Amino acid sequence: MDGFLKKKVAVVTQDGRFIVGDFRGFDQSTNVILSNCTERVVSLHQGIEYVNLGLFVVRGDNLAMIGELDVEHDESIDHDNVRAEPIQPIIH
């Protein structure tokens, strides 16, 4: 995960949250620290809602996926017109 340091990343948590922020660090338990975070909440009825989270820690046991965000591509998307079903929580 060293390759993500100081980069914009997208995180999907096991409970279905989609969080975008600047990757600041991680530890041996894969807890992840993000700054300048926003949660993107999708629905079938309206565009993406943004919830400002600021500095945020994602516990390693709640991390489902993390990846570098293509900022240029992300900015080209009209998020006001995106409609989607929310991501369902992972069931073990």
Side-chain angles (χ1 to χ4, degrees), residues 7 10 14 34 38 48 58 61 64 74 81 84-86:
K7 294 186 179 175
Q14 291 201 29
L34 304 172
T38 56
I48 295 176
V58 180
D61 60 355
D74 187 56
N81 289 317
E85 285 191 36

Side-chain angles (χ1 to χ4, degrees), residues 11-40:
V11 171
V12 177
T13 61
Q14 291 201 29
D15 57 356
R17 295 172 73 184
F18 185 80
I19 300 168
V20 174
D22 299 324
F23 190 87
R24 293 295 176 214
F26 65 98
D27 65 12
Q28 69 276 8
S29 299
T30 322
N31 297 316
V32 172
I33 302 168
L34 304 172
S35 64
N36 303 318
C37 284
T38 56
E39 179 178 358
R40 296 182 182 180

